């Protein structure tokens, strides 16, 4: 009996020591998150209830910042709509582009690793450099894209598209440009594709299934975990869209690419209205949180290999 | 023994660090100064020499100057002001000194000038009243005018000669401007090859043209106006100036100017342009091969006001709330040095900027006819009014409306009505949280 107790005590000590060691190892991260994330977040929540111009002391104004945003700020709603439009189109389009790329790059062709590298490369290019490059490609009067499309414009007797310089096409132009980085999600899809057991394809071959059937009945269903992951991450990232518009269009023309984060940035940096900027940040957090929770409900349609039913 | 040694070493390090922080290596009080010429830029070494001269001229203070790139500078100084980690002295925009003075981050320079009984005190009579007025908050000076920017009409004398004009024909009024500008226009195959002038090019702005009529975006109580016939007429005049060309023709021409990277005036694709005094430095540095001159911006035919947008810099003494009187005294001593006749001349030579010291600049530019004219126009420069509810009222706030108008997407009436509603909304929202 005594021996058993001792053993238990010894085990308990080890567990305790392990816990201490674990916390010690994690402590830099815990301290980091408390100091650099939790504190600023709490501070920003407090600032949402104040008038704060980044110089003078914050003055309590209650819910006035939120009231201004929701009931008296037309640009707030415009920027929110611009962002929702961006998310609604760019997220599904990004998934489709990523999956198609992965399917293409999952074939056995010579020099495949080179192709994979080439398609992934845009993800390591600075977004500023990339934006400037696209700026010239899509340049309405002198850009190469309109030069290539010139015969089509002539054929259909239409005016050349002004891409980012026209409020009607600017959002779509930025979305199309965003597809340039589809190689990032492609890598995840490709990794999952290569995890699909070959035996499933062999059985399908025996049953006489073609490429299309195998793609839609085996590959895509078994890729749903990574599609779901990219969908959720795309939603979260999509609501924070900022850089492309900041560099390429300055939010124009006619505020058509003035996204939520851009407006938040301007509230803070140009209007020096930290109260409303912080309120916008918290509203964005809530929007993203609600949409992510709703998106997570789609998890029931995700098929995890090896899971029962 | 080891413990004692360790303690002694730690103590020595602390004493050393404290000493460094307070007095620098040679026991002098360290003053920090931020400017806009980073290491590697042409003026850096010259600005450094100006600072070194000060450091060698006395033994009480040592100025440590740091230069940042122009665009980086604004982020750095803004964040430093918010976090109270500013240098002792720095440059800023003179049109919003009131914002910082109201936020109590600036030392009251009027008090320092008044308390100073030395011979080398700042002589305020050497600075323009309009510039000093911009640096004031509640009647007291919280900054000093540092540089003096001005906007003028640049004209290409070679192109003037080509169309049979001389310097005597440089336009003085809006109607003259249009008549003369049209003599330079060149079009080939539907593409513009040259324009005489465009009132939206370079540093020409709607508010700049508006000021020449005596109007502004806001009245004296900062209520948004933008609703008079003059507001509409001025905007319409800008749009109609080159109305014989389509928006596509004009935008293609404008974009190909950008492609050249030199600017439309330097590439002789426009005969006249409104630009700041910096263009003169750039043209000289680039070794412009054509003859050119500068003149006051043409004014409206009737009751035109000779005025141009300044946008100069202020120099400010930052109060970080540390109550360090030694640093404050040192910063003021260095400020006096920077504001002196000789240093203002040295700074102008170093940077190419027109500085704010009147007689220093007058004497310096007397043999340079272009700079002389530029300096004359400084006397007619005006700063944007500080509008707390729309600090960037000429930039991002106005740009979407301006683009709609200049691209002829909407009538000027609609654009101005929308702009007015926008500024009004900003004002109402501001007032709700600033009762």
């Amino acid at each position: 009996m005594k021996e058993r107790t001792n053993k238990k005590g010894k085990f308990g000590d080890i567990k305790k020591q392990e816990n201490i060691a674990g916390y010690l190892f994690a402590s830099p991260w815990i301290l980091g998150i408390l100091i650099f994330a939790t504190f600023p977040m709490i501070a920003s929540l407090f600032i949402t209830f104040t008038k704060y111009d980044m110089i003078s002391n914050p003055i309590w104004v209650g819910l006035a910042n939120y009231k201004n945003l929701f009931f008296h700020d037309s640009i707030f709603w415009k920027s929110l709509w611009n962002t929702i439009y961006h998310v609604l189109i760019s997220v599904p389009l990004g998934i489709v582009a990523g999956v198609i790329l992965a399917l293409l790059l999952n074939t056995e062709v010579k020099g495949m690793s080179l192709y994979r590298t080439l398609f992934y490369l845009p993800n390591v290019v600075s977004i500023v450099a990339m934006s400037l490059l696209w700026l010239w490609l899509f340049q309405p009067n002198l850009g190469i894209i309109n030069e290539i499309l010139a015969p089509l414009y002539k054929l259909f007797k239409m005016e050349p598209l002004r891409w980012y310089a026209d409020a009607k096409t600017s959002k779509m132009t930025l979305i199309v440009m965003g597809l340039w980085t589809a190689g990032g999600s492609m890598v995840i899809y490709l990794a999952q594709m290569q995890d699909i057991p070959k035996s499933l394809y062999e059985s399908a071959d025996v049953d006489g299934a073609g490429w299309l059937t195998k793609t839609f009945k085996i590959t895509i269903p078994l890729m749903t975990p990574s599609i779901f992951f990219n969908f959720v991450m795309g939603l979260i990232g999509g609501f924070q869209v900022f850089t492309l518009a900041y560099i390429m269009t300055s939010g124009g023309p006619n505020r058509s690419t003035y996204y939520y984060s851009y407006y938040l940035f301007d509230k803070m940096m140009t209007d020096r209205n930290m109260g409303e900027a912080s309120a916008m940040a918290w509203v964005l957090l809530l929007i993203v949180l609600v949409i992510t929770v709703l998106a997570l409900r789609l998890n029931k349609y995700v098929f995890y290999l090896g899971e029962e039913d | 023994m080891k413990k004692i040694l360790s303690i002694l070493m730690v103590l020595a390090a602390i004493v050393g660090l404290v000493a460094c922080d307070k007095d620098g290596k040679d026991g002098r009080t360290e003053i920090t100064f931020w400017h806009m010429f980073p290491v590697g830029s042409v003026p850096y070494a010259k600005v450094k020499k100006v600072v070194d001269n000060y450091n060698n001229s006395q033994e009480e203070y040592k100025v440590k100057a740091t230069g940042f790139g122009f665009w980086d500078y604004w982020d750095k100084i803004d964040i430093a002001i918010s976090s109270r980690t500013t240098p002792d002295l720095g440059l800023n925009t003179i049109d919003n000194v009131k914002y910082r003075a109201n936020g109590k981050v600036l030392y009251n320079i009027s008090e320092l000038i008044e308390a100073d009984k030395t011979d080398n005190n700042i002589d305020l009579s050497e600075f323009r009243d309009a510039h000093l007025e911009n640096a004031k908050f509640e009647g007291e000076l919280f900054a000093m005018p540092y540089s003096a920017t001005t906007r003028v009409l640049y004209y290409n004398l070679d192109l003037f000669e080509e169309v049979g004009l001389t310097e005597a024909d440089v336009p003085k009024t809006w109607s003259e401007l249009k008549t003369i500008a049209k003599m330079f226009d060149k079009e080939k195959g539907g593409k513009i090859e040259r324009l005489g002038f465009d009132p939206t090019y370079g540093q020409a702005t709607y508010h700049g043209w508006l000021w020449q009529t005596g109007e502004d975006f806001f009245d004296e109580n900062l209520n948004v106006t933008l609703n008079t016939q003059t507001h509409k007429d001025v905007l319409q005049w800008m749009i109609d100036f080159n109305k014989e060309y389509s928006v596509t023709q004009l935008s293609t021409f404008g974009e190909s100017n950008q492609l050249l990277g030199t600017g439309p005036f330097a590439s002789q694709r426009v005969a006249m342009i409104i630009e700041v005094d910096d263009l003169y430095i750039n043209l000289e540095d680039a070794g412009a091969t054509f003859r050119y001159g500068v003149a006051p911006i043409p004014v409206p035919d009737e009751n035109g006001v000779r005025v141009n947008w300044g946008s100069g810099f202020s120099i400010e003494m930052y109060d970080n709330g540390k109550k360090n009187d030694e640093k404050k005294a040192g910063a003021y001593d260095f400020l006096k040095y920077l504001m002196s006749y000789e240093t203002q001349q040295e700074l102008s030579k170093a940077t190419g900027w027109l500085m704010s010291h009147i007689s220093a600049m007058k004497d310096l530019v007397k043999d340079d006819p272009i700079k002389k004219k530029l300096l004359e126009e400084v006397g007619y420069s005006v700063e944007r009014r500080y509008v707390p509810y729309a600090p960037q009222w000429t930039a991002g706030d106005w740009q979407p409306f301006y683009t709609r108008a200049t691209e002829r997407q909407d009538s000027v009436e609609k654009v101005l009505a929308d702009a007015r509603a926008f500024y009004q909304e900003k004002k109402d929202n501001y007032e709700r949280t600033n009762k």
Side-chain angles (χ1 to χ4, degrees):
Chain A
M1 194 65 186
K2 200 182 172 187
E3 204 179 327
R4 270 183 85 175
T5 316
N6 276 348
K7 265 186 186 171
K8 217 178 182 178
K10 220 175 192 179
F11 181 73
D13 281 350
I14 291 169
K15 189 94 180 147
K16 201 175 169 186
Q17 279 172 3
E18 277 180 354
N19 280 343
I20 292 169
Y23 282 119
L24 276 175
F25 276 118
S27 59
W29 182 85
I30 293 170
L31 282 174
I33 202 106
L34 286 174
I35 298 165
F36 298 115
T38 313
F39 172 71
M41 275 182 78
I42 293 168
S44 83
L45 182 63
F46 166 72
I47 288 168
T48 68
F49 302 109
T50 65
K51 172 211 143 192
Y52 178 45
D53 65 3
M54 294 169 73
I55 289 190
S56 317
N57 290 330
I59 297 165
W60 186 263
V61 292
L63 292 169
N65 289 323
Y66 290 97
K67 281 182 191 163
N68 272 353
L69 289 175
F70 291 136
F71 305 112
H72 308 289
D73 191 337
S74 50
I75 308 294
F76 170 80
W77 293 108
K78 187 170 178 97
S79 67
L80 185 59
W81 162 243
N82 287 343
T83 311
I84 290 171
Y85 181 101
H86 178 86
V87 171
L88 282 178
I89 297 179
S90 72
V91 174
L93 213 60
I95 290 171
V96 171
V99 170
I100 291 172
L101 265 183
L103 285 169
L104 289 173
L105 295 177
N106 197 34
T107 49
E108 283 170 17
V109 181
K110 250 189 181 179
M112 184 50 76
S113 30
L114 178 72
Y115 292 130
R116 285 176 186 167
T117 312
L118 283 177
F119 279 104
Y120 187 73
L121 261 184
N123 290 277
V124 293
V125 175
S126 145
I127 194 161
V128 178
M130 187 193 93
S131 306
L132 293 173
L133 173 79
W134 282 103
L135 201 63
W136 282 110
L137 292 176
F138 274 115
Q139 218 287 332
N141 299 306
L142 308 154
I144 195 164
I145 291 177
N146 269 358
E147 284 295 318
I148 293 167
L149 294 175
L152 281 177
Y153 294 139
K154 214 173 176 182
L155 186 72
F156 295 105
K157 287 177 185 157
M158 61 186 278
E159 280 287 304
L161 290 172
R162 290 189 51 74
W163 303 109
Y164 57 78
D166 184 343
K168 291 187 200 91
T169 50
S170 54
K171 276 196 274 283
M172 272 313 291
T173 307
L174 295 198
I175 289 169
V176 170
M177 276 180 48
L179 294 180
W180 168 253
T181 54
S185 56
M186 176 268 293
V187 173
I188 299 169
Y189 296 134
L190 208 54
Q192 183 137 48
M193 255 179 215
Q194 289 176 350
D195 258 4
I196 299 172
K198 290 250 185 319
S199 57
L200 293 175
Y201 291 109
E202 285 163 5
S203 311
D205 283 338
V206 171
D207 291 339
W211 179 83
L212 211 62
T213 315
K214 281 190 283 185
T215 301
F216 281 100
K217 298 287 179 188
I218 300 171
T219 314
I220 292 187
L222 289 177
M223 276 170 65
T224 45
S226 55
I227 291 175
F228 182 65
F229 170 76
N230 277 320
F231 173 65
V232 174
M233 297 310 284
L235 283 178
I236 296 169
F239 273 100
Q240 293 168 41
V241 58
F242 171 78
T243 322
L244 282 181
Y246 184 69
I247 296 166
M248 287 190 65
T249 60
S250 303
N254 198 13
R255 292 212 166 88
S256 59
T257 57
Y258 201 44
Y259 297 120
Y260 193 92
S261 298
Y262 200 156
Y263 189 36
L264 189 159
F265 174 81
D266 273 352
K267 279 253 181 241
M268 180 181 72
M269 295 304 285
T270 61
D271 286 356
R272 318 223 177 247
N273 190 342
M274 200 62 167
E276 279 186 28
S278 299
M280 281 187 74
W282 277 88
V283 171
L284 180 66
L285 177 75
L286 284 178
I287 292 170
V288 173
L289 209 65
V290 169
I291 289 176
T292 309
V293 168
L294 289 174
L296 286 173
R297 288 186 165 208
L298 296 172
N299 196 27
K300 60 186 172 194
Y301 300 110
V302 177
F303 183 79
Y304 293 96
L305 197 70
E307 205 176 56
E308 278 182 37
D309 193 37
Chain B
M1 189 61 190
K2 263 188 182 176
K3 268 189 182 173
I4 294 168
L5 269 175
S6 307
I7 292 166
L8 282 174
M9 279 173 75
V10 169
L11 278 174
I14 291 169
V15 169
L17 284 170
V18 168
C20 277
D21 179 52
K22 189 171 176 284
D23 296 324
K25 277 179 191 166
D26 48 8
R28 295 156 79 175
T29 302
E30 189 174 281
I31 308 299
T32 47
F33 169 52
W34 285 5
H35 58 79
M36 297 168 192
F37 299 100
V39 178
S41 64
V42 178
Y44 175 81
K46 293 173 186 168
V47 173
K48 187 176 180 299
K49 201 178 159 206
V50 171
V51 174
D52 287 347
N53 286 345
Y54 172 76
N55 286 336
N56 296 333
S57 71
Q58 45 74 48
E59 290 180 342
E60 213 173 332
Y61 309 110
K62 184 162 190 175
V63 173
K64 190 183 167 198
T66 311
F68 298 99
F70 183 81
W71 295 110
D72 282 347
Y73 184 84
W74 303 111
D75 291 337
K76 300 258 186 216
I77 198 82
D78 281 351
I79 299 299
I81 289 171
S82 298
S83 56
R84 298 289 197 272
T85 53
T86 44
D88 299 305
L89 275 135
L91 306 184
N92 220 310
T93 42
I94 200 164
D95 59 12
N96 59 357
V97 168
K98 289 174 180 65
Y99 156 69
R100 291 180 292 280
N102 186 38
K104 296 183 172 52
V105 294
L106 302 178
Y107 281 117
N108 184 327
I109 290 176
S110 291
E111 281 177 8
L112 291 165
I113 292 174
E114 206 172 311
D116 186 17
K117 304 296 173 204
T118 60
D119 294 338
N120 65 344
N121 201 354
I122 295 172
D123 179 2
L124 291 179
S125 66
E126 283 291 1
F127 300 90
R128 291 172 185 81
D129 289 342
H131 288 178
L132 291 171
E133 211 47 51
N134 279 301
K136 280 181 183 173
F137 174 67
E138 294 177 348
E140 303 278 297
L141 272 175
F142 280 85
M144 280 303 294
Y146 187 72
S147 65
T149 307
T150 187
R151 281 161 174 80
V152 293
L153 178 82
Y154 284 77
Y155 51 88
N156 184 322
L157 275 169
D158 284 357
L159 294 182
F160 264 55
E161 204 173 276
E162 188 187 304
V163 297
L165 297 173
T166 65
E167 207 155 8
D169 301 307
V170 172
K172 292 179 185 66
T173 62
W174 287 9
S175 57
E176 283 176 19
L177 180 64
K178 192 161 180 176
T179 311
I180 290 169
K182 293 297 145 193
M183 297 169 76
F184 298 93
D185 288 7
K186 264 191 188 175
E187 191 191 339
K188 197 177 175 185
K191 283 190 176 171
I192 303 168
E193 288 195 331
R194 189 173 74 192
L195 278 181
F197 181 78
D198 193 296
T200 65
Y201 276 19
Q203 290 285 332
T205 58
Y206 175 56
H207 68 270
W209 296 117
L210 205 54
W211 288 353
Q212 293 190 321
T213 65
E215 279 291 352
D216 200 349
F217 274 44
F218 309 96
D219 65 17
E220 59 279 7
N221 299 318
L222 298 183
N223 293 310
V224 59
T225 50
L226 290 174
N227 56 348
T228 67
Q229 192 55 42
T230 311
H231 287 97
K232 293 170 196 166
D233 291 344
V234 172
L235 193 54
Q236 195 64 59
W237 174 78
M238 292 176 77
I239 297 161
D240 287 348
F241 198 94
N242 284 313
K243 70 174 175 190
E244 58 272 42
Y245 303 110
S246 69
V247 172
T248 311
Q249 278 178 304
L250 287 167
S251 65
T252 308
F253 181 69
E255 283 154 6
S256 46
N257 287 333
Q258 277 179 0
L259 201 66
L260 289 164
T262 50
F265 186 77
S267 56
Q268 304 197 65
R269 287 162 63 84
V270 293
M272 295 174 283
I273 199 165
I274 307 291
E275 270 293 351
V276 285
D277 46 294
D278 269 7
L279 180 64
Y280 175 52
I281 307 165
N282 296 340
L283 288 169
E284 291 301 295
D285 287 350
T289 53
F290 57 92
R291 293 174 305 130
Y292 60 92
V294 298
I297 298 173
V299 294
D301 296 41
E302 284 173 27
N303 306 319
V305 183
R306 186 175 174 184
V307 64
N308 68 81
W309 177 26
S311 70
F313 295 127
S314 59
I315 183 158
E316 303 171 349
M317 284 175 58
Y318 294 105
D319 179 1
N320 281 329
K322 288 175 187 157
K323 299 194 189 320
N324 188 331
D325 289 339
E326 250 179 287
K327 273 187 180 275
K328 184 179 172 184
Y332 181 62
D333 195 59
F334 185 55
L335 177 69
K336 288 195 296 183
Y337 168 77
L338 290 177
M339 291 293 108
S340 67
Y341 175 94
E342 294 79 11
T343 315
Q344 286 272 295
Q345 283 197 343
E346 287 307 312
L347 285 168
S348 182
K349 284 181 207 163
T351 61
W353 289 358
L354 290 171
M355 304 304 290
S356 53
H357 195 288
I358 299 169
S359 57
M361 286 303 101
K362 267 187 185 164
D363 293 348
L364 185 71
V365 306
K366 62 177 188 285
D367 298 325
D368 184 334
I370 290 188
K371 273 215 165 158
K372 217 172 153 182
K373 282 187 185 172
L374 288 168
L375 189 65
E376 198 183 326
E377 284 319 290
V378 169
Y380 297 93
S381 67
V382 168
E383 296 299 330
R384 288 182 308 193
R385 296 167 75 184
Y386 176 63
V387 181
Y389 62 84
Q392 294 295 320
W393 59 270
T394 58
D397 286 343
W398 168 241
Q399 200 57 41
F401 303 104
Y402 185 60
T403 311
R404 269 169 61 195
T406 52
E407 292 193 354
R408 305 172 197 166
Q409 294 167 10
D410 282 309
S411 66
V412 292
E413 287 80 9
K414 171 102 178 74
V415 166
L416 289 174
D418 288 353
R420 191 167 188 273
F422 168 80
Y423 287 113
Q424 191 58 49
E425 186 181 271
K426 282 193 101 156
K427 185 173 189 277
D428 294 343
N429 284 351
Y430 179 84
E431 283 169 355
R432 260 189 285 275
T433 49
N434 286 271
K435 281 170 196 165

